[in-house]
C-alpha cells in the first residue's frame, strides 16, 4: 500500500514553479593582497621581535618559537589577504626575515648583557658587526629553524585562506 505524496511546489501558486534565490555576489579575492602582505609584514616584525626577546632572555635558539613566527605570519597573510597564491610564498619569505630579525635581536640582547651596553645601541648603531656575529654563530640548526618557519608560514597561509 502506498501513501499519497503531495505534488512538488506550492499547491496554492497554481502551475508556477518555485524560483531559486540568486546567490549573493562574492567579494573579489585579489583586492586584499596588499592588506595580506601588510599584515604578514607587521606579523613578521612583531613575532620576530618577540622571538628575539625570548632568545635573548634565555640565551639560546628555540625551534618551536621559529615555527611560531612562521605560523603567525602565515595566518596573518591568509586571514587578511584571502586565497591569493602569492600570499603563501610571500608569507614564507617574510617569516624567514622575521626569524632572522629575531635572531639578530637576540644576539644584540645577549651581547648587550655581556658588554654592559644597551641592546638597542648594538642593534641600531652596530648592525654590521651584529650581522657578522650572526654569520659566525650560524650553524645547520639556524638554517633548519629558517626552513621550519618558512614551511609553517606557507602552510598557515594556505590553510587560513
Amino acid at each position: 500500500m502506498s501513501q499519497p505524496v503531495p505534488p512538488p511546489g506550492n499547491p496554492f501558486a497554481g502551475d508556477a514553479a518555485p524560483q531559486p534565490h540568486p546567490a549573493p555576489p562574492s567579494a573579489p579575492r585579489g583586492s586584499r593582497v596588499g592588506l595580506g602582505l601588510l599584515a604578514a609584514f607587521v606579523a613578521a616584525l612583531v613575532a620576530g621581535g618577540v622571538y628575539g626577546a625570548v632568545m635573548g632572555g634565555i640565551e639560546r635558539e628555540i625551534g618551536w618559537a621559529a615555527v611560531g613566527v612562521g605560523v603567525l605570519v602565515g595566518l596573518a597573510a591568509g586571514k587578511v589577504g584571502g586565497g591569493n597564491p602569492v600570499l603563501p610564498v610571500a608569507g614564507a619569505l617574510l617569516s624567514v626575515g622575521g626569524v632572522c630579525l629575531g635572531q639578530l635581536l637576540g644576539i644584540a640582547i645577549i651581547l648587550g648583557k655581556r658588554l654592559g651596553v644597551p641592546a638597542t645601541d648594538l642593534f641600531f648603531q652596530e648592525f654590521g658587526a651584529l650581522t657578522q656575529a650572526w654569520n659566525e654563530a650560524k650553524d645547520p640548526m639556524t638554517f633548519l629553524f629558517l626552513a621550519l618557519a618558512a614551511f609553517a608560514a606557507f602552510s598557515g597561509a594556505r590553510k587560513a585562506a
Side-chain angles (χ1 to χ4, degrees), residues 47-89:
V50 171
Y51 175 57
V54 169
M55 183 180 151
I58 64 171
E59 297 188 5
R60 77 180 43 226
E61 292 179 277
I62 305 171
W64 59 263
V67 171
V69 171
V71 168
L72 288 173
V73 172
L75 288 177
K79 285 288 186 187
V80 175
N84 192 299
V86 170
L87 292 173
V89 175

Side-chain angles (χ1 to χ4, degrees), residues 14-57:
D15 291 333
Q19 298 294 324
H21 295 288
S26 62
R29 301 300 273 177
S31 65
R32 298 183 301 179
V33 173
L35 289 175
L37 291 173
L38 179 64
F41 179 73
V42 170
L45 289 178
V46 171
V50 171
Y51 175 57
V54 169
M55 183 180 151

